Amino acid sequence: VLLGIIGISLLPAVIEYLSALLTGNWHATREVDERTQRTASGLVSAFANWHLERGLRSLSHVDRAVDRAVER
């Protein structure tokens, strides 16, 4: 599976592992190899980091919009 422009190629095992985590299939997560766990962990970390940084960058736009609304 290729993820967008960044070109991350994921093994089916990583997708299955993430799916098991999302659905609460804990039994399926017990026997996953360490490489798959590390890959999934890195992907989740990058996803969360991207969204947090994007939110912080857009915060300045919200602050300006609020300032303008208060001035009116």
Side-chain angles (χ1 to χ4, degrees):
V1 173
L2 191 64
L3 293 179
I5 305 169
I6 56 176
I8 295 175
S9 182
L10 294 179
L11 297 173
V14 175
I15 296 169
E16 291 170 11
Y17 178 60
L18 290 170
S19 177
L21 289 170
L22 285 170
T23 59
N25 184 358
W26 309 126
H27 179 70
T29 64
R30 291 186 188 133
E31 297 179 13
V32 175
D33 63 276
E34 191 175 327
R35 178 180 179 209
T36 300
Q37 291 177 10
R38 279 195 315 267
T39 302
S41 176
L43 182 62
V44 170
S45 177
F47 178 80
N49 191 46
W50 184 82
H51 280 282
L52 287 171
E53 287 181 3
R54 189 179 106 179
L56 292 174
R57 283 194 306 261
S58 65
L59 189 58
S60 63
H61 299 291
V62 172
D63 288 342
R64 281 187 245 149
V66 170
D67 290 343
R68 278 184 257 148
V70 170
E71 291 173 0
R72 291 180 186 173

Coordinates of all heavy atoms in Angstrom, one line a residue:
V1 N 0.9 -1.2 0.0 CA 0.0 0.0 0.0 C 0.9 1.2 0.0 O 1.8 1.3 0.8 CB -0.9 0.0 1.3 CG1 -1.7 1.3 1.3 CG2 -1.8 -1.2 1.2
L2 N 0.6 2.2 -0.9 CA 1.4 3.4 -1.0 C 0.6 4.5 -0.3 O -0.6 4.7 -0.7 CB 1.7 3.7 -2.4 CG 2.7 4.8 -2.7 CD1 4.0 4.4 -2.2 CD2 2.7 5.0 -4.2
L3 N 1.2 5.3 0.6 CA 0.5 6.4 1.3 C 0.8 7.7 0.6 O 1.8 8.3 0.9 CB 0.8 6.4 2.7 CG 0.4 5.2 3.6 CD1 0.8 5.4 5.0 CD2 -1.1 5.1 3.5
G4 N -0.1 8.2 -0.2 CA -0.1 9.5 -0.7 C 1.3 9.9 -1.3 O 2.0 9.1 -1.9
I5 N 1.6 11.2 -1.2 CA 2.7 11.8 -1.8 C 4.0 11.4 -1.2 O 5.1 11.3 -1.8 CB 2.6 13.4 -1.8 CG1 1.3 13.8 -2.4 CG2 3.8 14.0 -2.5 CD1 1.0 15.2 -2.2
I6 N 3.9 11.1 0.1 CA 5.2 10.8 0.9 C 5.8 9.5 0.5 O 6.9 9.2 0.8 CB 4.9 10.9 2.4 CG1 3.8 9.9 2.8 CG2 4.7 12.3 2.8 CD1 3.6 9.9 4.3
G7 N 5.0 8.6 -0.1 CA 5.6 7.4 -0.7 C 6.0 6.3 0.3 O 7.0 5.6 0.2
I8 N 5.2 6.2 1.4 CA 5.5 5.2 2.4 C 4.8 3.9 1.9 O 3.6 3.9 1.6 CB 5.0 5.5 3.8 CG1 5.7 6.7 4.3 CG2 5.1 4.4 4.7 CD1 5.2 7.2 5.6
S9 N 5.6 2.8 1.8 CA 5.1 1.6 1.4 C 4.9 0.7 2.6 O 5.9 0.5 3.4 CB 6.0 0.9 0.4 OG 5.5 -0.3 -0.1
L10 N 3.7 0.2 2.9 CA 3.4 -0.6 4.0 C 3.2 -2.0 3.7 O 2.5 -2.4 2.7 CB 2.2 -0.1 4.8 CG 2.3 1.3 5.4 CD1 0.9 1.7 6.0 CD2 3.4 1.4 6.4
L11 N 3.8 -2.9 4.5 CA 3.5 -4.3 4.3 C 2.1 -4.6 4.8 O 1.6 -4.0 5.7 CB 4.5 -5.1 5.2 CG 6.0 -4.9 4.8 CD1 6.9 -5.6 5.8 CD2 6.2 -5.5 3.4
P12 N 1.5 -5.6 4.2 CA 0.1 -6.0 4.7 C 0.1 -6.3 6.2 O -0.9 -6.1 6.8 CB -0.2 -7.3 3.8 CG 0.7 -7.1 2.6 CD 1.9 -6.4 3.1
A13 N 1.2 -6.8 6.7 CA 1.2 -7.1 8.2 C 1.0 -5.9 9.0 O 0.3 -5.9 10.1 CB 2.5 -7.8 8.6
V14 N 1.5 -4.8 8.6 CA 1.4 -3.5 9.3 C -0.1 -3.1 9.3 O -0.6 -2.6 10.3 CB 2.3 -2.4 8.7 CG1 2.1 -1.1 9.4 CG2 3.8 -2.8 8.9
I15 N -0.7 -3.1 8.1 CA -2.1 -2.7 7.9 C -3.0 -3.7 8.8 O -3.9 -3.2 9.5 CB -2.5 -2.8 6.5 CG1 -1.7 -1.7 5.7 CG2 -4.0 -2.5 6.3 CD1 -1.8 -1.8 4.2
E16 N -2.7 -4.9 8.8 CA -3.5 -5.9 9.6 C -3.3 -5.6 11.1 O -4.3 -5.6 11.8 CB -3.1 -7.3 9.3 CG -3.5 -7.8 7.9 CD -2.8 -9.1 7.5 OE1 -2.3 -9.8 8.4 OE2 -2.9 -9.4 6.3
Y17 N -2.1 -5.3 11.5 CA -1.8 -4.9 12.9 C -2.6 -3.7 13.3 O -3.2 -3.6 14.3 CB -0.3 -4.8 13.1 CG 0.1 -4.4 14.5 CD1 -0.2 -5.2 15.6 CD2 0.8 -3.2 14.7 CE1 0.2 -4.9 16.9 CE2 1.2 -2.9 16.0 CZ 0.9 -3.7 17.1 OH 1.3 -3.4 18.4
L18 N -2.5 -2.6 12.5 CA -3.2 -1.4 12.8 C -4.7 -1.6 12.8 O -5.4 -1.1 13.7 CB -2.8 -0.3 11.8 CG -1.4 0.3 11.9 CD1 -1.1 1.2 10.7 CD2 -1.2 1.0 13.2
S19 N -5.2 -2.4 11.9 CA -6.6 -2.7 11.9 C -7.1 -3.5 13.1 O -8.1 -3.2 13.7 CB -6.9 -3.6 10.6 OG -8.3 -3.9 10.6
A20 N -6.2 -4.4 13.6 CA -6.5 -5.1 14.8 C -6.6 -4.2 16.0 O -7.4 -4.3 16.9 CB -5.5 -6.3 15.0
L21 N -5.6 -3.2 16.1 CA -5.6 -2.3 17.2 C -6.8 -1.4 17.1 O -7.4 -1.1 18.2 CB -4.3 -1.4 17.1 CG -3.0 -2.1 17.4 CD1 -1.9 -1.1 17.0 CD2 -3.0 -2.5 18.9
L22 N -7.2 -0.9 15.9 CA -8.4 -0.1 15.8 C -9.7 -0.8 16.2 O -10.6 -0.1 16.7 CB -8.5 0.5 14.4 CG -7.5 1.6 14.0 CD1 -7.5 1.9 12.5 CD2 -7.8 2.8 14.8
T23 N -9.8 -2.0 15.9 CA -11.0 -2.8 16.2 C -11.0 -3.5 17.5 O -12.0 -4.1 17.9 CB -11.3 -3.8 15.1 OG1 -10.2 -4.7 15.0 CG2 -11.5 -3.1 13.7
G24 N -9.9 -3.4 18.3 CA -9.9 -4.0 19.6 C -9.7 -5.5 19.5 O -10.0 -6.2 20.5
N25 N -9.1 -6.0 18.5 CA -8.9 -7.4 18.3 C -7.5 -7.7 19.0 O -6.5 -7.9 18.3 CB -8.8 -7.8 16.9 CG -8.7 -9.3 16.7 OD1 -8.5 -10.1 17.6 ND2 -8.7 -9.7 15.4
W26 N -7.5 -7.7 20.3 CA -6.3 -7.8 21.1 C -5.6 -9.2 20.9 O -4.3 -9.2 20.9 CB -6.5 -7.6 22.6 CG -7.3 -6.3 22.8 CD1 -8.5 -6.2 23.5 CD2 -7.0 -5.0 22.3 NE1 -8.9 -4.9 23.4 CE2 -8.0 -4.1 22.7 CE3 -6.0 -4.5 21.5 CZ2 -8.1 -2.8 22.4 CZ3 -6.0 -3.1 21.2 CH2 -7.0 -2.3 21.7
H27 N -6.3 -10.2 20.6 CA -5.7 -11.5 20.4 C -4.8 -11.5 19.2 O -3.7 -12.1 19.2 CB -6.8 -12.6 20.3 CG -6.2 -14.0 20.0 ND1 -5.6 -14.7 21.0 CD2 -6.2 -14.7 18.9 CE1 -5.2 -15.8 20.5 NE2 -5.6 -15.9 19.2
A28 N -5.2 -10.8 18.1 CA -4.5 -10.7 16.9 C -3.2 -9.9 17.1 O -2.3 -10.0 16.3 CB -5.3 -10.1 15.8
T29 N -3.1 -9.0 18.1 CA -2.0 -8.1 18.3 C -0.9 -8.8 19.1 O 0.2 -8.3 19.1 CB -2.4 -6.8 19.0 OG1 -2.8 -7.1 20.3 CG2 -3.4 -6.1 18.2
R30 N -1.2 -9.9 19.7 CA -0.2 -10.5 20.6 C 1.0 -11.2 19.9 O 2.1 -11.2 20.5 CB -0.9 -11.6 21.5 CG -1.8 -11.0 22.5 CD -2.4 -12.0 23.4 NE -3.5 -11.4 24.2 CZ -4.7 -11.9 24.4 NH1 -5.0 -13.0 23.9 NH2 -5.5 -11.2 25.2
E31 N 0.8 -11.7 18.8 CA 1.9 -12.5 18.1 C 2.5 -11.7 16.9 O 3.1 -12.3 16.1 CB 1.3 -13.8 17.6 CG 0.8 -14.7 18.8 CD 0.3 -16.0 18.4 OE1 0.4 -16.4 17.2 OE2 -0.3 -16.6 19.2
V32 N 2.4 -10.4 16.9 CA 2.9 -9.6 15.8 C 4.4 -9.3 16.1 O 4.8 -9.1 17.2 CB 2.2 -8.2 15.7 CG1 2.8 -7.3 14.7 CG2 0.7 -8.5 15.4
D33 N 5.2 -9.5 15.1 CA 6.7 -9.3 15.2 C 7.0 -7.9 15.6 O 6.3 -6.9 15.3 CB 7.4 -9.8 14.0 CG 7.1 -9.0 12.8 OD1 6.1 -9.3 12.1 OD2 7.9 -8.1 12.5
E34 N 8.2 -7.7 16.1 CA 8.7 -6.4 16.6 C 8.8 -5.4 15.5 O 8.5 -4.2 15.6 CB 10.0 -6.6 17.4 CG 10.4 -5.3 18.1 CD 11.6 -5.5 18.9 OE1 11.8 -6.7 19.4 OE2 12.4 -4.6 19.1
R35 N 9.3 -5.9 14.3 CA 9.4 -4.9 13.2 C 8.1 -4.3 12.8 O 8.0 -3.1 12.5 CB 10.1 -5.7 12.0 CG 10.2 -4.8 10.8 CD 10.8 -5.6 9.6 NE 11.0 -4.7 8.5 CZ 10.9 -5.1 7.2 NH1 10.8 -6.4 7.0 NH2 11.0 -4.3 6.2
T36 N 7.1 -5.1 12.7 CA 5.7 -4.7 12.4 C 5.2 -3.7 13.4 O 4.7 -2.6 13.1 CB 4.8 -5.8 12.2 OG1 5.2 -6.7 11.2 CG2 3.4 -5.4 11.9
Q37 N 5.5 -4.0 14.7 CA 5.1 -3.0 15.7 C 5.8 -1.7 15.6 O 5.2 -0.6 15.8 CB 5.3 -3.7 17.1 CG 4.4 -4.9 17.4 CD 4.8 -5.5 18.7 OE1 5.5 -5.0 19.5 NE2 4.2 -6.7 19.0
R38 N 7.1 -1.8 15.4 CA 7.9 -0.5 15.3 C 7.4 0.3 14.1 O 7.3 1.5 14.1 CB 9.4 -0.8 15.1 CG 10.1 -1.1 16.4 CD 11.6 -1.0 16.3 NE 12.1 -1.7 15.1 CZ 12.5 -3.0 15.1 NH1 12.5 -3.7 16.2 NH2 13.0 -3.5 14.0
T39 N 7.2 -0.3 12.9 CA 6.7 0.4 11.8 C 5.4 1.0 12.0 O 5.2 2.2 11.7 CB 6.6 -0.6 10.6 OG1 7.9 -1.2 10.3 CG2 6.1 0.1 9.3
A40 N 4.4 0.3 12.6 CA 3.1 0.9 12.9 C 3.2 2.0 13.9 O 2.6 3.0 13.8 CB 2.2 -0.2 13.5
S41 N 4.1 1.8 14.9 CA 4.3 2.9 15.9 C 4.8 4.2 15.3 O 4.4 5.3 15.6 CB 5.3 2.4 17.0 OG 5.5 3.4 17.9
G42 N 5.8 4.0 14.4 CA 6.3 5.2 13.7 C 5.3 5.9 12.8 O 5.3 7.1 12.8
L43 N 4.5 5.1 12.2 CA 3.4 5.7 11.3 C 2.4 6.4 12.2 O 2.0 7.6 11.8 CB 2.7 4.6 10.6 CG 1.6 5.0 9.6 CD1 2.2 5.9 8.5 CD2 1.0 3.8 9.0
V44 N 2.0 5.9 13.3 CA 1.0 6.6 14.2 C 1.7 7.8 14.7 O 1.0 8.9 14.8 CB 0.5 5.6 15.3 CG1 -0.2 6.4 16.3 CG2 -0.3 4.5 14.7
S45 N 2.9 7.7 15.1 CA 3.6 8.9 15.7 C 3.7 10.0 14.6 O 3.5 11.2 14.9 CB 5.0 8.5 16.1 OG 5.7 9.6 16.6
A46 N 4.1 9.7 13.4 CA 4.2 10.7 12.4 C 2.8 11.3 12.0 O 2.7 12.5 11.8 CB 4.8 10.1 11.1
F47 N 1.8 10.5 12.0 CA 0.4 11.0 11.8 C 0.0 12.0 12.9 O -0.5 13.1 12.6 CB -0.5 9.8 11.7 CG -1.9 10.1 11.5 CD1 -2.4 10.4 10.3 CD2 -2.8 10.2 12.6 CE1 -3.8 10.7 10.0 CE2 -4.2 10.5 12.4 CZ -4.6 10.8 11.1
A48 N 0.2 11.6 14.1 CA -0.2 12.5 15.2 C 0.7 13.8 15.2 O 0.1 14.9 15.4 CB 0.0 11.8 16.5
N49 N 2.0 13.7 14.9 CA 2.8 14.8 14.9 C 2.4 15.8 13.8 O 2.4 17.0 14.0 CB 4.3 14.4 14.7 CG 5.3 15.5 14.9 OD1 5.2 16.2 15.9 ND2 6.2 15.6 14.0
W50 N 2.1 15.2 12.6 CA 1.7 16.1 11.5 C 0.4 16.9 11.8 O 0.3 18.1 11.6 CB 1.5 15.2 10.3 CG 1.1 16.0 9.0 CD1 2.0 16.7 8.2 CD2 -0.2 16.3 8.5 NE1 1.3 17.3 7.2 CE2 0.0 17.1 7.4 CE3 -1.5 15.9 8.9 CZ2 -1.1 17.5 6.6 CZ3 -2.5 16.4 8.2 CH2 -2.4 17.2 7.1
H51 N -0.6 16.2 12.4 CA -1.8 16.8 12.8 C -1.6 17.9 13.9 O -2.2 18.9 13.9 CB -2.9 15.8 13.2 CG -3.5 15.2 12.0 ND1 -4.5 15.8 11.3 CD2 -3.3 14.0 11.4 CE1 -4.9 15.0 10.3 NE2 -4.2 13.9 10.3
L52 N -0.8 17.6 14.9 CA -0.5 18.6 15.9 C 0.2 19.8 15.4 O -0.2 20.9 15.7 CB 0.4 17.9 17.0 CG -0.4 16.9 17.9 CD1 0.7 16.2 18.8 CD2 -1.4 17.6 18.7
E53 N 1.2 19.6 14.5 CA 1.9 20.8 13.9 C 1.0 21.6 13.0 O 1.0 22.8 13.0 CB 3.1 20.3 13.2 CG 4.3 19.8 14.1 CD 5.5 19.4 13.3 OE1 5.5 19.5 12.1 OE2 6.4 18.9 14.0
R54 N 0.2 20.9 12.3 CA -0.7 21.6 11.4 C -1.7 22.4 12.2 O -2.0 23.6 11.8 CB -1.5 20.6 10.5 CG -2.3 21.2 9.4 CD -3.0 20.2 8.6 NE -4.4 20.2 9.0 CZ -5.3 19.5 8.5 NH1 -5.0 18.6 7.6 NH2 -6.6 19.6 8.8
G55 N -2.2 21.9 13.3 CA -3.1 22.6 14.1 C -2.5 23.8 14.7 O -3.1 24.9 14.8
L56 N -1.2 23.7 15.1 CA -0.5 24.8 15.7 C -0.2 25.9 14.7 O -0.4 27.1 15.0 CB 0.8 24.4 16.4 CG 0.6 23.5 17.6 CD1 2.0 23.0 18.1 CD2 0.0 24.3 18.7
R57 N 0.1 25.5 13.5 CA 0.4 26.5 12.5 C -0.9 27.3 12.1 O -0.9 28.5 11.8 CB 0.9 25.9 11.2 CG 2.4 25.5 11.4 CD 3.0 25.2 10.0 NE 2.3 24.2 9.3 CZ 2.6 22.9 9.3 NH1 3.7 22.5 9.9 NH2 1.9 22.0 8.6
S58 N -2.1 26.6 12.1 CA -3.3 27.2 11.7 C -3.9 28.1 12.9 O -4.8 28.9 12.7 CB -4.3 26.2 11.3 OG -4.7 25.4 12.3
L59 N -3.4 27.9 14.1 CA -3.9 28.6 15.2 C -3.7 30.1 15.0 O -4.6 30.9 15.4 CB -3.2 28.2 16.5 CG -3.7 28.7 17.8 CD1 -5.2 28.3 18.0 CD2 -2.9 28.1 19.0
S60 N -2.7 30.6 14.4 CA -2.5 32.0 14.2 C -3.6 32.6 13.3 O -4.0 33.7 13.5 CB -1.1 32.3 13.6 OG -1.0 31.7 12.3
H61 N -4.1 31.9 12.4 CA -5.2 32.3 11.5 C -6.5 32.5 12.4 O -7.2 33.4 12.2 CB -5.5 31.4 10.4 CG -4.3 31.2 9.5 ND1 -3.9 32.2 8.6 CD2 -3.5 30.2 9.2 CE1 -2.8 31.8 7.9 NE2 -2.6 30.6 8.3
V62 N -6.7 31.6 13.3 CA -7.9 31.7 14.2 C -7.8 32.9 15.1 O -8.7 33.6 15.3 CB -8.0 30.4 15.0 CG1 -9.1 30.5 16.0 CG2 -8.3 29.2 14.1
D63 N -6.6 33.1 15.6 CA -6.4 34.2 16.5 C -6.6 35.5 15.8 O -7.3 36.4 16.3 CB -4.9 34.3 17.1 CG -4.7 33.2 18.1 OD1 -5.7 32.6 18.6 OD2 -3.5 32.9 18.3
R64 N -6.2 35.7 14.6 CA -6.4 36.9 13.8 C -7.9 37.1 13.5 O -8.4 38.2 13.6 CB -5.6 36.9 12.5 CG -4.2 37.2 12.8 CD -3.4 37.4 11.5 NE -2.4 36.3 11.5 CZ -2.0 35.7 10.4 NH1 -2.4 36.0 9.2 NH2 -1.1 34.8 10.5
A65 N -8.6 36.0 13.2 CA -10.0 36.1 12.9 C -10.8 36.5 14.2 O -11.7 37.3 14.1 CB -10.5 34.8 12.4
V66 N -10.4 36.0 15.3 CA -11.1 36.4 16.6 C -10.8 37.9 16.9 O -11.7 38.6 17.3 CB -10.6 35.5 17.7 CG1 -11.0 36.1 19.1 CG2 -11.1 34.1 17.5
D67 N -9.6 38.3 16.7 CA -9.2 39.7 16.9 C -10.1 40.7 16.0 O -10.6 41.7 16.5 CB -7.7 40.0 16.6 CG -6.8 39.4 17.7 OD1 -7.3 39.0 18.7 OD2 -5.6 39.2 17.4
R68 N -10.2 40.3 14.8 CA -11.0 41.1 13.8 C -12.5 41.2 14.3 O -13.2 42.2 14.2 CB -10.9 40.6 12.4 CG -9.7 41.1 11.8 CD -9.6 40.7 10.3 NE -8.6 39.6 10.3 CZ -8.7 38.6 9.6 NH1 -9.6 38.4 8.7 NH2 -7.8 37.6 9.6
A69 N -13.0 40.0 14.7 CA -14.4 40.0 15.2 C -14.6 40.8 16.4 O -15.7 41.5 16.6 CB -14.8 38.5 15.5
V70 N -13.7 40.9 17.3 CA -13.8 41.7 18.5 C -13.7 43.2 18.2 O -14.4 44.0 18.8 CB -12.6 41.3 19.5 CG1 -12.6 42.3 20.7 CG2 -12.8 39.9 20.0
E71 N -12.9 43.5 17.2 CA -12.8 45.0 16.8 C -14.1 45.5 16.2 O -14.4 46.7 16.3 CB -11.7 45.1 15.8 CG -10.3 44.9 16.3 CD -9.3 44.9 15.2 OE1 -9.6 45.1 14.0 OE2 -8.1 44.7 15.6
R72 N -15.0 44.7 15.7 CA -16.2 45.1 15.0 C -17.2 45.4 16.0 O -17.6 45.6 16.9 CB -16.7 44.0 14.1 CG -15.8 43.9 12.9 CD -16.3 42.9 12.0 NE -15.3 42.7 11.0 CZ -15.3 41.7 10.1 NH1 -16.3 40.9 10.0 NH2 -14.4 41.6 9.2

